[in-house]
Amino acid sequence: MSKKRILRDIIGIFKDKASLLKANLSTKRGVSSIQVTVIRATTHASTSPPRNHFIAAIISAGDHSLPAIYACIDAIMDRLHSTQNPYVALKCLFIFHNIMAKGSLLYKDHVSFFPASGGHNSLNLSGFYDKFDVETRQLSSWVRWYANVLERNMITSRTLGSYISPSSRLSTNFDKIENHKGNNISFSNSVTEMESLVCLVEVICEAPESQYCQKIDLVHEIMILISEDYRSTQYHILIRLVELSSRVSRLSYLDLSELILCLSRLEGCRKKLNELFIRRKNDLFWEMVSQKKMDMEKVKYEREKQGLLLWNVDENCDELNWSSQRFGGKIQQFLVAAS
C-alpha cells in the first residue's frame, strides 16, 4: 500500500471521528442516535459492506415513526452527498437499497424519489468521480451505475403502482403465474409498464466491466441485491406477457409494434444478464419471451397483410371508377354526335 493511500485512509478515519463527534453533540437524542448509526455503517476505513446489525437498526428505526423515517433518510442522503469517497457512497446506496427491499411500506413511500422532480431525495450522482487512483476511478463508475439502477427501480415501481418486491416472495413457476393472471394488478397500461420494466433491465445491463471491483466484498453484496431485483423484474414481465397474450388480437397496431420492440430489446440483454447473474439463468423465461414475441409478430403480419389487401382493393376500385367514367364520357360523346 502506498504512502498516499495510507495517508488518505488516516484522513478518512479522522473524518469519521469528526462526524461522530458532531452527531453526538446534537441536542436531539433520537436524531443523534440515527446519525451515529449511519456514520458507523458507512465508514471510510472498511471495504466490506455495512454490518447487518447496523442495517437492521436503520430499517427498524423507521418502521413506525415518521420523524425517525425523516431522520434516517436525511442522515443517509447528507452522508451520500457530502462524500467523495466511492466506498462511503456505495455503502450509503447499499443501505438505501436495503430500505427499498426490506423496509415497511411507510418507509418505502418516504424513501421514494423521482429524478425528474429534483429535490433533496434525488440521488443525482451522474457526476460522481474520485480520481485518486485506478481503484477509486473504477469504483466511481460503480457508484454512478448503482445510483442509476436505484433511480430506475423507483421510476419503474411508480409506473407499476407497486414496489419491485424482494424475490423471496415471488415465484417464477409458470402455473402459478398463469393462475395469478388478472389478480391484484391493473393492466390498463400494460405497454407502458412493459417499457418501464425493460428499461430497468437495460440499466442493470450497463454494469461496469471491472472484474477487480466485482471481487470486492461490498460490490459482491450489491450484486446479490440487484440480482434479487432482476428476478423480481422477470416475474413482473412474465405476468404482463401472460395477460397480454390473452388479448393480443385486441391490441392496436401501434401497441403491437411497441411491445415487439420492447421484447427485442429485452432479448438483446440476455447475454449480458447471463454473464452478470450466472446463477439466475432462466431458459424458461427466455423461451416464453421469444414465444410471445413470435405470437405478436404473427398478429402484426396478418394485420399488415390485411391492410395491404384492403389498400389494393381500394386502389382497384379507384381505377375501375376512373375507367367507367372515361368510358361513359366517350359513349355520351358518340350519342351526341350521332344525333
Side-chain angles (χ1 to χ4, degrees):
M1 185 180 290
S2 67
K3 291 182 179 179
K4 289 177 68 175
R5 165 66 72 172
I6 294 172
L7 179 60
R8 178 185 168 95
D9 290 345
I10 292 173
I11 292 173
I13 292 170
F14 278 113
K15 285 182 177 180
D16 290 338
K17 290 185 178 297
S19 297
L20 285 169
L21 180 61
K22 181 180 177 181
N24 281 315
L25 291 175
S26 173
T27 55
K28 299 179 179 179
R29 301 314 303 166
V31 173
S32 172
S33 174
I34 290 170
Q35 289 175 340
V36 168
T37 304
V38 170
I39 293 166
R40 287 178 175 169
T42 59
T43 59
H44 290 72
S46 174
T47 60
S48 299
R51 294 180 181 177
N52 290 334
H53 68 274
F54 285 137
I55 295 175
I58 293 169
I59 292 174
S60 62
D63 270 349
H64 306 291
S65 167
L66 272 179
I69 287 175
Y70 294 142
C72 288
I73 295 172
D74 285 344
I76 296 167
M77 298 302 290
D78 287 343
R79 182 75 164 165
L80 177 62
H81 287 124
S82 63
T83 187
Q84 289 298 315
N85 185 291
Y87 283 110
V88 175
L90 285 172
K91 290 174 185 179
C92 289
L93 293 173
F94 184 71
I95 293 172
F96 222 80
H97 199 174
N98 272 275
I99 293 172
M100 290 163 59
K102 304 170 186 176
S104 65
L105 286 176
L106 185 64
Y107 214 156
K108 290 179 180 180
D109 285 342
H110 287 82
V111 162
S112 177
F113 49 85
F114 195 58
S117 66
H120 188 58
N121 272 23
S122 177
L123 294 180
N124 192 25
L125 293 175
S126 59
F128 187 93
Y129 186 67
D130 183 354
K131 60 181 180 180
F132 179 76
D133 58 20
V134 175
E135 180 183 325
T136 59
R137 289 194 291 271
Q138 290 181 353
L139 281 170
S140 295
S141 66
W142 282 89
V143 172
R144 296 191 297 271
W145 169 74
Y146 194 20
N148 199 18
V149 170
L150 296 183
E151 286 179 345
R152 173 48 62 178
N153 183 313
M154 294 308 298
I155 292 171
T156 300
S157 294
R158 287 184 174 222
T159 302
L160 301 183
S162 61
Y163 294 102
I164 301 293
S165 306
S167 65
S168 58
R169 301 177 189 174
L170 305 176
S171 169
T172 49
N173 181 287
F174 286 88
D175 293 333
K176 290 184 179 180
I177 289 173
E178 288 283 355
N179 293 333
H180 189 90
K181 176 179 159 184
N183 293 334
N184 303 320
I185 193 165
S186 171
F187 291 93
S188 58
N189 298 309
S190 296
V191 178
T192 303
E193 292 169 356
M194 185 68 76
E195 161 71 18
S196 189
L197 287 163
V198 172
C199 282
L200 177 55
V201 174
E202 288 177 326
V203 170
I204 290 173
C205 285
E206 294 171 1
E209 296 289 343
S210 173
Q211 295 294 322
Y212 168 75
C213 289
Q214 291 185 36
K215 296 177 182 178
I216 297 172
D217 288 344
L218 175 58
V219 174
H220 179 71
E221 291 298 319
I222 286 170
M223 291 307 296
I224 289 175
L225 264 187
I226 291 179
S227 73
E228 302 291 309
D229 286 348
Y230 168 54
R231 185 181 176 192
S232 176
T233 304
Q234 281 187 318
Y235 174 81
H236 286 288
I237 288 173
L238 286 174
I239 285 183
R240 280 152 185 82
L241 283 177
V242 169
E243 172 64 22
L244 287 167
S245 65
S246 67
R247 56 188 178 92
V248 65
S249 60
R250 302 201 300 272
L251 290 171
S252 68
Y253 182 84
L254 180 60
D255 285 345
L256 270 174
S257 300
E258 290 184 5
L259 284 168
I260 291 169
L261 179 60
C262 277
L263 295 181
S264 296
R265 286 162 49 199
L266 181 61
E267 287 181 323
C269 297
R270 182 175 183 177
K271 182 179 178 182
K272 179 68 174 181
L273 290 167
N274 287 340
E275 291 172 358
L276 286 173
F277 310 116
I278 297 174
R279 296 181 181 179
R280 292 287 187 204
K281 288 183 179 180
N282 190 338
D283 292 335
L284 288 175
F285 171 78
W286 294 109
E287 286 173 11
M288 186 170 184
V289 168
S290 179
Q291 182 60 51
K292 298 305 179 185
K293 179 187 167 189
M294 288 175 60
D295 293 343
M296 291 177 190
E297 286 174 334
K298 286 178 182 177
V299 174
K300 182 184 176 185
Y301 173 75
E302 291 299 325
R303 296 263 185 91
E304 290 172 344
K305 189 168 70 171
Q306 185 179 11
L308 183 62
L309 180 62
L310 291 173
W311 183 82
N312 286 333
V313 170
D314 290 341
E315 189 178 55
N316 290 335
C317 288
D318 290 340
E319 290 178 358
L320 183 61
N321 289 335
W322 179 80
S323 299
S324 62
Q325 290 173 5
R326 184 180 178 187
F327 184 68
K330 288 184 177 180
I331 290 176
Q332 188 175 12
Q333 289 175 5
F334 175 77
L335 292 173
V336 170
S339 63

